[in-house]
Amino acid sequence: MTHNVLDEAAARGLLAELSAQLDRAIEPDARLILIGIHRRGDSIAAEIGRHLEPTRGPVPIGSLDITLYRDDFGQVGALPLVGTTRIPESIEDAHIVIVDDVLHTGRTIRAALRELSDFGRARRIQLCVLVDRGGRQLPIQPDYVGRVIEVGPNQDVAVRVADTDGGWGVDIVALPTAPEAGA
C-alpha cells in the first residue's frame, strides 16, 4: 500500500522553499558547493542549484556514492554496485551543503562525511534533506529540511525524482511484514 504525501506540484514547491532557505541562510559571497548523495540526493541538489542560479550564478554540483564508506558494507553482498563520486572542484575553504532525499538513522550522512573528508577540509559543511523521517541512531541533524514526516515501524518514505522516476513526489510505502513464527 502506498500513500502519496507530496504530488508533483507540492514536491516542486518544497524544492523551491528549500532553495530559498539556503539562499537566505548562506552568505552571498560564500563559495557554495552542493553535493548530493547518489541516487536521489544528487537530483535534488541539481534542482536546488537551478533555483539558486538567478541569485547566485551557477552553483557547482557534485555527487557522492557512499557505498564503500557504509558501516554495513560487509553485509551488502559479494558484488555491491558502486557508483561514481564527482566533486566538481576543490572543497578546501568551501561552504558545502550535502543534499539527500530522506534522513533516517544518520548512518548515510556519517558515511558521506567520511568520504567527503578524503577530498579536503571544507570551511563549513551543512545538511539539506527533502524529508526528515526521524528515527536517528546517530546525533546528526539537518540544517535545512523540506518536510518532517512521521512513519510507522512497517513504513518507509519513497522520494521520486524527475530524472530517475519520471516526476517529483513523496510517498509513504508499506513494508512487507515478516510472517509470524509457526504460521
Side-chain angles (χ1 to χ4, degrees):
M1 186 171 104
T2 300
H3 169 69
N4 181 257
V5 178
L6 297 173
D7 63 11
E8 177 93 17
R12 286 187 175 280
L14 197 56
L15 288 163
E17 288 176 29
L18 270 175
S19 303
Q21 283 182 43
L22 269 74
D23 202 24
R24 283 190 305 271
I26 299 172
E27 305 80 34
D29 59 343
R31 192 165 67 83
L32 175 62
I33 302 173
L34 300 174
I35 300 181
I37 296 177
H38 183 67
R39 282 200 54 208
R40 287 173 172 77
D42 47 4
S43 297
I44 295 167
E47 187 67 19
I48 289 171
R50 281 190 283 280
H51 282 279
L52 293 175
E53 194 166 342
T55 57
R56 293 187 174 262
V59 177
I61 311 288
S63 178
L64 285 176
D65 183 299
I66 61 155
T67 304
L68 297 174
Y69 291 82
R70 294 177 57 96
D71 61 3
D72 63 351
F73 179 73
Q75 300 168 9
V76 173
L79 296 172
L81 182 61
V82 179
T84 303
T85 289
R86 288 182 305 96
I87 305 297
E89 60 186 58
S90 170
I91 69 166
E92 293 294 327
D93 208 35
H95 187 131
I96 305 295
V97 177
I98 296 173
V99 181
D100 203 9
D101 58 347
V102 179
L103 177 59
H104 184 211
T105 64
R107 293 184 182 287
T108 296
I109 305 308
R110 178 178 64 184
L113 290 167
R114 287 181 54 214
E115 181 175 2
L116 199 55
S117 72
D118 287 348
F119 290 93
R121 184 174 179 173
R123 173 176 296 272
R124 185 172 192 184
I125 299 174
Q126 292 186 304
L127 175 60
C128 173
V129 297
L130 189 64
V131 176
D132 181 351
R133 63 162 285 173
R136 232 58 95 238
Q137 295 174 355
L138 299 173
I140 292 176
Q141 298 299 322
D143 299 283
Y144 310 99
V145 179
R147 177 77 52 93
V148 175
I149 297 175
E150 293 186 26
V151 297
N154 293 322
Q155 296 177 317
D156 201 4
V157 175
V159 172
R160 290 178 276 117
V161 298
D163 56 353
T164 302
D165 307 303
W168 292 96
V170 176
D171 302 314
I172 295 177
V173 180
L175 298 173
T177 57
E180 292 184 34

Short mmCIF file of all heavy atoms in Angstrom, two decimals, residues 88-121:
data_model
loop_
_atom_site.label_atom_id
_atom_site.label_comp_id
_atom_site.label_asym_id
_atom_site.label_seq_id
_atom_site.Cartn_x
_atom_site.Cartn_y
_atom_site.Cartn_z
N PRO A 88 33.07 18.59 -8.03
CA PRO A 88 33.31 19.46 -9.18
C PRO A 88 34.55 20.36 -9.07
O PRO A 88 35.07 20.82 -10.08
CB PRO A 88 32.04 20.30 -9.25
CG PRO A 88 31.51 20.30 -7.86
CD PRO A 88 31.89 18.96 -7.29
N GLU A 89 35.00 20.62 -7.86
CA GLU A 89 36.17 21.47 -7.64
C GLU A 89 36.65 21.24 -6.23
O GLU A 89 36.01 20.54 -5.45
CB GLU A 89 35.84 22.94 -7.89
CG GLU A 89 34.76 23.49 -6.99
CD GLU A 89 34.36 24.91 -7.36
OE1 GLU A 89 33.96 25.14 -8.51
OE2 GLU A 89 34.46 25.78 -6.48
N SER A 90 37.78 21.83 -5.89
CA SER A 90 38.35 21.65 -4.55
C SER A 90 37.34 22.10 -3.50
O SER A 90 36.68 23.13 -3.64
CB SER A 90 39.63 22.48 -4.42
OG SER A 90 40.05 22.50 -3.07
N ILE A 91 37.24 21.31 -2.44
CA ILE A 91 36.34 21.69 -1.35
C ILE A 91 37.06 22.51 -0.29
O ILE A 91 36.43 22.99 0.65
CB ILE A 91 35.66 20.46 -0.70
CG1 ILE A 91 36.65 19.61 0.08
CG2 ILE A 91 34.90 19.65 -1.73
CD1 ILE A 91 36.00 18.60 0.99
N GLU A 92 38.38 22.70 -0.44
CA GLU A 92 39.14 23.50 0.52
C GLU A 92 38.51 24.88 0.65
O GLU A 92 38.29 25.57 -0.34
CB GLU A 92 40.60 23.63 0.08
CG GLU A 92 41.38 22.34 0.11
CD GLU A 92 41.59 21.75 1.51
OE1 GLU A 92 41.71 22.54 2.49
OE2 GLU A 92 41.62 20.52 1.62
N ASP A 93 38.18 25.25 1.89
CA ASP A 93 37.65 26.56 2.23
C ASP A 93 36.28 26.84 1.59
O ASP A 93 35.87 27.99 1.47
CB ASP A 93 38.65 27.66 1.85
CG ASP A 93 38.49 28.88 2.75
OD1 ASP A 93 38.17 28.71 3.94
OD2 ASP A 93 38.65 30.00 2.23
N ALA A 94 35.57 25.81 1.14
CA ALA A 94 34.25 25.99 0.53
C ALA A 94 33.15 25.75 1.57
O ALA A 94 33.36 25.09 2.58
CB ALA A 94 34.08 25.03 -0.64
N HIS A 95 31.99 26.29 1.28
CA HIS A 95 30.79 26.03 2.07
C HIS A 95 30.05 24.91 1.36
O HIS A 95 29.49 25.12 0.28
CB HIS A 95 29.92 27.29 2.14
CG HIS A 95 28.76 27.16 3.06
ND1 HIS A 95 28.45 28.09 4.00
CD2 HIS A 95 27.81 26.19 3.19
CE1 HIS A 95 27.37 27.72 4.67
NE2 HIS A 95 26.97 26.57 4.19
N ILE A 96 30.09 23.73 1.94
CA ILE A 96 29.49 22.53 1.33
C ILE A 96 28.12 22.30 1.93
O ILE A 96 27.94 22.36 3.16
CB ILE A 96 30.36 21.27 1.60
CG1 ILE A 96 31.79 21.47 1.14
CG2 ILE A 96 29.71 20.04 0.98
CD1 ILE A 96 31.96 21.64 -0.33
N VAL A 97 27.15 22.00 1.08
CA VAL A 97 25.85 21.54 1.55
C VAL A 97 25.65 20.15 0.97
O VAL A 97 25.59 19.97 -0.24
CB VAL A 97 24.69 22.47 1.13
CG1 VAL A 97 23.36 21.88 1.59
CG2 VAL A 97 24.89 23.87 1.72
N ILE A 98 25.63 19.16 1.87
CA ILE A 98 25.32 17.78 1.48
C ILE A 98 23.81 17.70 1.35
O ILE A 98 23.07 18.16 2.23
CB ILE A 98 25.82 16.78 2.53
CG1 ILE A 98 27.34 16.81 2.63
CG2 ILE A 98 25.33 15.37 2.20
CD1 ILE A 98 27.91 15.97 3.78
N VAL A 99 23.34 17.11 0.25
CA VAL A 99 21.91 17.04 -0.04
C VAL A 99 21.50 15.57 -0.15
O VAL A 99 22.15 14.80 -0.86
CB VAL A 99 21.56 17.78 -1.35
CG1 VAL A 99 20.07 17.72 -1.62
CG2 VAL A 99 22.05 19.22 -1.29
N ASP A 100 20.43 15.20 0.56
CA ASP A 100 19.90 13.84 0.45
C ASP A 100 18.38 13.89 0.40
O ASP A 100 17.77 14.90 0.73
CB ASP A 100 20.39 12.99 1.63
CG ASP A 100 20.37 11.50 1.33
OD1 ASP A 100 20.14 11.11 0.16
OD2 ASP A 100 20.58 10.70 2.26
N ASP A 101 17.80 12.77 0.01
CA ASP A 101 16.34 12.73 -0.11
C ASP A 101 15.67 12.54 1.24
O ASP A 101 14.78 13.30 1.61
CB ASP A 101 15.89 11.67 -1.12
CG ASP A 101 16.36 10.26 -0.81
OD1 ASP A 101 17.24 10.07 0.06
OD2 ASP A 101 15.84 9.32 -1.45
N VAL A 102 16.08 11.50 2.00
CA VAL A 102 15.43 11.18 3.27
C VAL A 102 16.50 10.99 4.35
O VAL A 102 17.47 10.27 4.14
CB VAL A 102 14.60 9.87 3.16
CG1 VAL A 102 13.95 9.52 4.49
CG2 VAL A 102 13.53 10.00 2.07
N LEU A 103 16.30 11.64 5.48
CA LEU A 103 17.17 11.43 6.64
C LEU A 103 16.44 10.51 7.61
O LEU A 103 15.30 10.79 7.99
CB LEU A 103 17.50 12.76 7.32
CG LEU A 103 18.35 12.67 8.59
CD1 LEU A 103 19.69 12.00 8.32
CD2 LEU A 103 18.55 14.07 9.17
N HIS A 104 17.10 9.42 7.98
CA HIS A 104 16.50 8.47 8.90
C HIS A 104 17.47 8.23 10.06
O HIS A 104 17.46 8.99 11.02
CB HIS A 104 16.14 7.17 8.16
CG HIS A 104 15.44 6.16 8.99
ND1 HIS A 104 15.58 4.82 8.79
CD2 HIS A 104 14.60 6.27 10.04
CE1 HIS A 104 14.86 4.15 9.68
NE2 HIS A 104 14.25 5.02 10.45
N THR A 105 18.32 7.22 9.98
CA THR A 105 19.19 6.86 11.10
C THR A 105 20.38 7.79 11.26
O THR A 105 20.93 7.92 12.35
CB THR A 105 19.73 5.43 10.93
OG1 THR A 105 20.56 5.39 9.76
CG2 THR A 105 18.59 4.42 10.83
N GLY A 106 20.83 8.41 10.18
CA GLY A 106 22.02 9.26 10.20
C GLY A 106 23.26 8.55 9.68
O GLY A 106 24.30 9.16 9.46
N ARG A 107 23.16 7.24 9.45
CA ARG A 107 24.33 6.46 9.01
C ARG A 107 24.78 6.83 7.60
O ARG A 107 25.97 6.86 7.31
CB ARG A 107 24.05 4.97 9.12
CG ARG A 107 23.89 4.54 10.57
CD ARG A 107 23.70 3.05 10.73
NE ARG A 107 23.51 2.71 12.13
CZ ARG A 107 24.46 2.71 13.05
NH1 ARG A 107 25.68 3.05 12.74
NH2 ARG A 107 24.20 2.39 14.30
N THR A 108 23.85 7.14 6.72
CA THR A 108 24.22 7.57 5.37
C THR A 108 25.01 8.88 5.42
O THR A 108 26.02 9.04 4.73
CB THR A 108 22.95 7.75 4.50
OG1 THR A 108 22.32 6.48 4.36
CG2 THR A 108 23.29 8.32 3.14
N ILE A 109 24.58 9.79 6.26
CA ILE A 109 25.27 11.08 6.38
C ILE A 109 26.65 10.89 6.99
O ILE A 109 27.61 11.53 6.56
CB ILE A 109 24.42 12.08 7.19
CG1 ILE A 109 23.02 12.22 6.59
CG2 ILE A 109 25.12 13.43 7.29
CD1 ILE A 109 22.98 12.53 5.10
N ARG A 110 26.77 10.02 7.98
CA ARG A 110 28.10 9.74 8.55
C ARG A 110 29.03 9.22 7.46
O ARG A 110 30.17 9.65 7.35
CB ARG A 110 28.02 8.74 9.69
CG ARG A 110 29.42 8.43 10.24
CD ARG A 110 29.41 7.48 11.39
NE ARG A 110 28.91 6.18 10.97
CZ ARG A 110 28.72 5.17 11.80
NH1 ARG A 110 28.97 5.33 13.08
NH2 ARG A 110 28.28 4.02 11.36
N ALA A 111 28.54 8.31 6.62
CA ALA A 111 29.36 7.78 5.53
C ALA A 111 29.73 8.90 4.55
O ALA A 111 30.87 8.97 4.08
CB ALA A 111 28.62 6.66 4.81
N ALA A 112 28.79 9.79 4.27
CA ALA A 112 29.07 10.91 3.36
C ALA A 112 30.14 11.83 3.94
O ALA A 112 31.04 12.28 3.21
CB ALA A 112 27.78 11.69 3.09
N LEU A 113 30.08 12.10 5.22
CA LEU A 113 31.09 12.95 5.86
C LEU A 113 32.46 12.28 5.82
O LEU A 113 33.48 12.95 5.57
CB LEU A 113 30.69 13.25 7.31
CG LEU A 113 29.51 14.20 7.47
CD1 LEU A 113 29.01 14.18 8.92
CD2 LEU A 113 29.88 15.60 7.03
N ARG A 114 32.50 10.98 6.04
CA ARG A 114 33.77 10.25 5.96
C ARG A 114 34.36 10.34 4.57
O ARG A 114 35.55 10.60 4.39
CB ARG A 114 33.58 8.79 6.37
CG ARG A 114 33.36 8.61 7.87
CD ARG A 114 33.20 7.16 8.28
NE ARG A 114 34.31 6.35 7.81
CZ ARG A 114 34.19 5.08 7.43
NH1 ARG A 114 33.01 4.49 7.46
NH2 ARG A 114 35.23 4.40 7.03
N GLU A 115 33.52 10.12 3.55
CA GLU A 115 34.03 10.18 2.18
C GLU A 115 34.46 11.60 1.82
O GLU A 115 35.52 11.81 1.23
CB GLU A 115 32.98 9.70 1.19
CG GLU A 115 33.49 9.73 -0.23
CD GLU A 115 32.55 9.14 -1.26
OE1 GLU A 115 31.43 8.72 -0.89
OE2 GLU A 115 32.94 9.10 -2.43
N LEU A 116 33.66 12.57 2.17
CA LEU A 116 33.97 13.96 1.84
C LEU A 116 35.30 14.40 2.46
O LEU A 116 36.05 15.16 1.84
CB LEU A 116 32.83 14.86 2.31
CG LEU A 116 32.72 16.24 1.71
CD1 LEU A 116 32.67 16.19 0.18
CD2 LEU A 116 31.49 16.94 2.24
N SER A 117 35.62 13.89 3.64
CA SER A 117 36.88 14.27 4.29
C SER A 117 38.10 13.80 3.49
O SER A 117 39.18 14.36 3.62
CB SER A 117 36.94 13.73 5.72
OG SER A 117 37.11 12.34 5.73
N ASP A 118 37.93 12.80 2.63
CA ASP A 118 39.02 12.36 1.77
C ASP A 118 39.37 13.39 0.70
O ASP A 118 40.42 13.30 0.07
CB ASP A 118 38.68 11.03 1.08
CG ASP A 118 38.71 9.85 2.04
OD1 ASP A 118 39.22 10.01 3.17
OD2 ASP A 118 38.22 8.78 1.65
N PHE A 119 38.48 14.35 0.48
CA PHE A 119 38.69 15.36 -0.57
C PHE A 119 39.23 16.67 -0.03
O PHE A 119 39.44 17.61 -0.80
CB PHE A 119 37.38 15.60 -1.33
CG PHE A 119 36.99 14.44 -2.18
CD1 PHE A 119 36.14 13.46 -1.68
CD2 PHE A 119 37.48 14.29 -3.47
CE1 PHE A 119 35.79 12.37 -2.46
CE2 PHE A 119 37.14 13.21 -4.25
CZ PHE A 119 36.29 12.24 -3.74
N GLY A 120 39.42 16.78 1.27
CA GLY A 120 39.97 18.00 1.84
C GLY A 120 39.13 18.49 3.01
O GLY A 120 38.27 17.79 3.52
N ARG A 121 39.44 19.72 3.39
CA ARG A 121 38.78 20.32 4.55
C ARG A 121 37.97 21.54 4.11
O ARG A 121 38.53 22.56 3.71
CB ARG A 121 39.81 20.72 5.59
CG ARG A 121 39.18 21.24 6.84
CD ARG A 121 40.20 21.49 7.91
NE ARG A 121 39.53 22.01 9.07
CZ ARG A 121 40.11 22.22 10.22
NH1 ARG A 121 41.38 21.94 10.35
NH2 ARG A 121 39.44 22.70 11.22
#
